[in-house]
Amino acid sequence: MTPTDLPRVHIATDHAGMELSAHLVRHLSAKGYDVVDHGPRAYDALDDYPSFCLNAALAVVADQEAGTPALGVVLGGSGNGEQIAANKVKGVRAALAWNLSTAKLARDHNDANVVAVGGRQHSVEEATAIIEAFLAEPFSNDERHVRRITKIAVYERTGEVIE
């Protein structure tokens, strides 16, 4: 991918992922990504991560709706709470990735637009590789995956469960 092909990356974290987040902002920016940091700006062991993650997820959806390629990265100690928060935003498909395979499958099969990673679960090098794999993997557009994602989107919009 050339820098013009790269998606904008919206990143957010809680206190447990701040070191990883700072590394990723530098690392991904150096690779040509347009990285938007949604915070936090200062370490607070009692921070409330939902606002940071929700803002990153909202920005991903807004960019995508405007035709700007964008993906999100949400970080925490485990990544679980951050993924849950991001998934509350209409239009977000956030996946918790814990290795290269789950990161790639999140994009390839599920067209996930946000990845959650646990900063306390991986070394900086491992987490960086997982996130790079997620960002680089395209959606397959396979009919069965499109069909399944469509059923989820219909439920999200209408509350109707399609068999």
Side-chain angles (χ1 to χ4, degrees), residues 36-111:
V36 180
D37 186 353
H38 292 271
R41 303 285 179 242
Y43 180 85
D44 177 358
L46 301 177
D47 68 5
D48 289 331
Y49 62 84
S51 60
F52 307 124
C53 296
L54 290 167
N55 283 329
L58 287 164
V60 168
V61 172
D63 274 353
Q64 290 179 336
E65 288 176 350
T68 300
L71 294 169
V73 176
V74 293
L75 307 166
S78 69
N80 283 310
E82 295 74 21
Q83 176 203 25
I84 291 167
N87 271 321
K88 297 301 179 187
V89 174
K90 185 177 175 184
V92 166
R93 289 174 306 283
L96 179 65
W98 60 90
N99 59 27
L100 296 176
S101 178
T102 56
K104 291 177 182 179
L105 286 169
R107 293 282 305 131
D108 182 47
H109 287 197
N110 306 112
D111 198 18

Side-chain angles (χ1 to χ4, degrees), residues 2 22 32 61 81 94 157:
T2 66
V61 172
R157 278 192 323 274

Side-chain angles (χ1 to χ4, degrees), residues 87-142:
N87 271 321
K88 297 301 179 187
V89 174
K90 185 177 175 184
V92 166
R93 289 174 306 283
L96 179 65
W98 60 90
N99 59 27
L100 296 176
S101 178
T102 56
K104 291 177 182 179
L105 286 169
R107 293 282 305 131
D108 182 47
H109 287 197
N110 306 112
D111 198 18
N113 52 7
V114 174
V115 66
V117 175
R120 291 182 176 156
Q121 311 305 311
H122 309 280
S123 68
V124 170
E125 295 78 19
E126 289 171 335
T128 301
I130 289 167
I131 291 162
E132 285 183 331
F134 176 85
L135 295 175
E137 188 71 26
F139 176 51
S140 69
N141 278 302
D142 183 284

Side-chain angles (χ1 to χ4, degrees), residues 9-32:
V9 177
H10 293 277
I11 191 166
T13 188
D14 75 350
H15 63 279
M18 284 196 70
E19 189 175 313
L20 176 58
S21 180
H23 162 77
L24 288 168
V25 168
R26 290 188 305 272
H27 177 79
L28 295 173
S29 294
K31 288 190 162 281

